[in-house]
Amino acid sequence: MSSNTLLQAPELSQHLSLELRQKLAVLQTPTHELDLLVRQEMQQNPVLELEGGIDASLESTAEDPVEDAWDEELSKLARRDEEWNPAPTRGVVTPEDEERRQFVMESLTKPVTLAEHVEGQLLGMRFDEEEKGDILRLLGHLNDNGWLKKPLAEIADEENRPLEELEFAQDMLLTLDPPGLGASDLRQCLMVQLEREKRTKTLEYHILDECFLLLSRRKFEEIAAHFDVELDDVQDAAMRITALNPRPARDFDETPAIGFHVQPEMTIEKQAGKWTVTIHKEVTPSLRISQFYKSMMAESAGKKDVRDFIRDHIKRGRFFIEMLQQRQQTIQKVAEHIVARQEDFFEIGPSYLKPMTMADIANEIGVHESTVSRTVAGKFANTPHGVFELRSFFTSGMATFSGEAVSGRTVEAALKEIIQAEDRGHPLHDKEIVERLAERGIRMSRRTVVKYRDRLGILPSALRRGL
């Protein structure tokens, strides 16, 4: 094997790895951030322009000599390359640099999202890409408070990830800011905050650890008896607990009005008796290579450095255009397979959502499940029942008496209906809810009912009376 081959191998591997990372970055970019990504690429590579637009460069130089036009455009390209790739040894900051920096800082008006906040912390930590991916993946399973919506085992099934690796990801997420983010429930959320403040030897910590149910029912006398302390001490500890933050995600409001405008990337509707997926072309900007730079390329036969310079930018531009097209095709394909599996949802409603994992879709279309995960994150669909993120169609299953499976969201919907229909003067006990679910063919233990009820924020029967 020649020395040239040895030298080329790592370079080729690194190049392919960079291209793969770029493709994945474009694929997982949420709909509301795609326009920004495209405009950033156009700033770095001026040979790109929006389809349907006017080639301003060609028009502005139409009356100038070709040689002058080339010199001017090449100078622009060189300047932009320098702006986006500043020399690392540069030590003097000019007034122009400071003005540009200030402009950028003042332009960053969008509130920082929870994901951006967590990603910023991960940059300085020694995790590999898979570990970082698991930590960020868990963010998609948090409720508005910042706790996990469901048990970690269910998330592992949905994401087709080893449970032990997601357990590690949760442990790492619990070490980040804000304290308590990623907790399994309120109790763990509060205990993590006390641990962070080194208050594990306090009465309030032991109350959370050993008597959380009594605390939630304000059984202060029973707690005092359990620890053999004065009632006043328990009440004071309870006051200190109320000073903790039960909603660590509250400062990162992701609602459309504050975080971003939810713009559906597709419409799912029935046409001629068949459910179809129509991608909104206006959401994905359509780019092309500027005709002016193509002309420069064709007419610079005797200038190798000029041709190479333009060729590199055109090659980069075509690759980016291909990535946008592949992104759209992948989203279309994944969405169509989701619709095929969840037809009852679209026909009837959310309570008819079927169990479905990302591995199911990945196997059908012949890709890795991580590709499906990137595809559905941050992509929204307009449906007859409202706007839904594609990720929300994936859910684990639960057995019925008939041997079939229903999704966790179907169980939640049934549980809500049962509670809403109960007699407020005589609310149903958890055992009675088990019986009502059984009438609907859903097999569930009382303990599981309690977990679902807590997840939905539904109080126990004793506290629902009269509400």
Side-chain angles (χ1 to χ4, degrees):
M1 185 178 294
S2 68
S3 59
N4 285 339
T5 304
L6 290 173
L7 289 172
Q8 289 173 2
E11 291 179 2
L12 179 60
S13 175
Q14 184 178 8
H15 178 64
L16 292 176
S17 177
L18 176 60
E19 288 190 351
L20 179 59
R21 288 199 299 270
Q22 289 175 328
K23 287 182 179 179
L24 295 178
V26 171
L27 179 62
Q28 69 185 9
T29 298
T31 306
H32 65 279
E33 295 179 3
L34 184 62
D35 185 64
L36 176 61
L37 177 69
V38 170
R39 295 192 179 281
Q40 286 177 339
E41 187 67 22
M42 291 176 67
Q43 284 285 340
Q44 297 180 55
N45 190 352
V47 306
L48 288 172
E49 64 180 17
L50 292 172
E51 279 193 351
I54 299 174
D55 193 333
S57 301
L58 185 58
E59 286 194 348
S60 64
T61 58
E63 298 177 358
D64 297 333
V66 173
E67 201 69 34
D68 292 342
W70 283 359
D71 291 342
E72 182 181 347
E73 291 306 315
L74 288 174
S75 297
K76 288 181 181 179
L77 281 171
R79 285 199 300 271
R80 294 196 187 195
D81 271 1
E82 290 174 2
E83 288 173 359
W84 284 94
N85 299 284
T89 56
R90 184 179 182 181
V92 179
V93 179
T94 67
E96 290 78 15
D97 292 332
E98 180 59 28
E99 183 178 351
R100 181 161 52 240
R101 187 195 69 82
Q102 188 65 28
F103 174 79
V104 172
M105 294 302 294
E106 291 174 354
S107 300
L108 299 176
T109 58
K110 190 185 76 164
V112 175
T113 66
L114 181 60
E116 291 168 341
H117 181 68
V118 171
E119 284 186 87
Q121 297 176 72
L122 293 178
L123 289 176
M125 307 181 79
R126 294 185 177 180
F127 295 122
D128 59 36
E129 291 303 316
E130 194 168 71
E131 291 169 339
K132 288 183 180 180
D134 283 338
I135 294 172
L136 296 175
R137 184 176 285 112
L138 288 183
L139 296 183
H141 294 277
L142 301 182
N143 59 21
D144 292 339
N145 296 325
W147 324 329
L148 292 178
K149 297 177 183 177
K150 59 188 70 175
L152 205 58
E154 290 187 23
I155 297 175
D157 288 340
E158 288 184 21
E159 299 284 354
N160 197 28
R161 294 289 296 148
L163 177 59
E164 60 272 16
E165 294 190 17
L166 288 191
E167 288 174 340
F168 173 79
Q170 184 188 23
D171 289 341
M172 295 304 98
L173 184 56
L174 289 170
T175 67
L176 302 181
D177 178 71
L181 186 70
S184 298
D185 50 32
L186 174 60
R187 172 175 168 272
Q188 185 182 26
C189 174
L190 300 178
M191 289 181 68
V192 166
Q193 294 176 47
L194 291 177
E195 290 167 2
R196 195 78 67 89
E197 298 175 8
K198 303 187 184 304
R199 293 163 60 185
T200 56
K201 296 182 180 180
T202 60
L203 178 58
E204 52 265 33
Y205 185 85
H206 288 290
I207 290 175
L208 291 172
D209 188 28
E210 302 174 35
C211 301
F212 183 72
L213 185 59
L214 292 177
L215 175 65
S216 64
R217 296 176 178 175
R218 302 184 66 79
K219 302 288 186 180
F220 294 156
E221 293 182 355
E222 294 183 34
I223 296 174
H226 176 83
F227 291 108
D228 192 21
V229 297
E230 297 294 330
L231 178 60
D232 289 346
D233 293 335
V234 174
Q235 292 174 333
D236 290 342
M239 288 296 294
R240 291 192 291 272
I241 291 174
T242 60
L244 300 173
N245 182 11
R247 296 183 57 212
R250 65 184 174 186
D251 292 331
F252 301 90
D253 194 342
E254 304 277 345
T255 58
I258 299 178
F260 60 88
H261 173 64
V262 173
Q263 185 175 16
E265 190 145 348
M266 70 202 71
T267 293
I268 300 173
E269 58 186 349
K270 204 168 192 179
Q271 296 181 351
K274 182 180 179 181
W275 287 99
T276 62
V277 176
T278 303
I279 300 293
H280 300 168
K281 293 183 179 179
E282 65 274 13
V283 173
T284 304
S286 185
L287 300 178
R288 68 186 180 193
I289 303 297
S290 168
Q291 186 60 41
F292 178 75
Y293 288 100
K294 288 182 181 178
S295 300
M296 288 178 65
M297 181 75 175
E299 298 178 22
S300 58
K303 300 181 178 181
K304 184 178 183 302
D305 55 340
V306 173
R307 289 178 59 84
D308 291 344
F309 193 70
I310 300 174
R311 183 189 293 112
D312 288 343
H313 283 79
I314 290 178
K315 185 178 179 180
R316 263 174 44 196
R318 285 175 174 163
F319 180 66
F320 187 75
I321 291 172
E322 288 176 4
M323 287 193 293
L324 289 177
Q325 293 171 344
Q326 288 180 7
R327 177 185 185 275
Q328 187 166 326
Q329 293 166 1
T330 303
I331 293 173
Q332 174 93 31
K333 186 179 294 186
V334 169
E336 288 174 348
H337 281 76
I338 290 174
V339 171
R341 280 179 165 264
Q342 299 290 3
E343 190 168 336
D344 287 347
F345 168 91
F346 298 103
E347 288 282 0
I348 307 172
S351 61
Y352 286 81
L353 195 67
K354 294 179 180 178
M356 180 178 69
T357 66
M358 294 184 186
D360 294 333
I361 301 297
N363 291 334
E364 288 182 5
I365 64 178
V367 299
H368 194 275
E369 49 264 39
S370 64
T371 299
V372 176
S373 178
R374 289 183 172 93
T375 301
V376 300
K379 319 302 190 304
F380 294 82
N382 190 18
T383 79
H385 308 290
V387 176
F388 290 84
E389 186 180 11
L390 292 185
R391 181 184 288 274
S392 66
F393 293 106
F394 296 89
T395 178
S396 57
M398 181 168 293
T400 65
F401 288 107
S402 65
E404 298 178 349
V406 294
S407 74
R409 291 190 180 90
T410 298
V411 174
E412 290 178 356
L415 186 57
K416 286 180 181 178
E417 290 177 6
I418 292 171
I419 296 296
Q420 289 171 355
E422 70 182 0
D423 180 357
R424 296 303 182 190
H426 299 86
L428 298 171
H429 295 287
D430 293 331
K431 186 177 179 181
E432 294 173 306
I433 295 176
V434 170
E435 296 171 354
R436 299 292 177 90
L437 289 170
E439 294 173 1
R440 300 183 178 211
I442 301 174
R443 177 171 41 191
M444 187 182 293
S445 67
R446 188 192 66 80
R447 180 177 296 180
T448 306
V449 166
V450 172
K451 289 182 179 179
Y452 271 88
R453 182 170 51 70
D454 289 345
R455 188 186 307 165
L456 293 170
I458 299 174
L459 297 171
S461 58
L463 299 179
R464 296 202 306 272
R465 184 173 290 109
L467 294 179

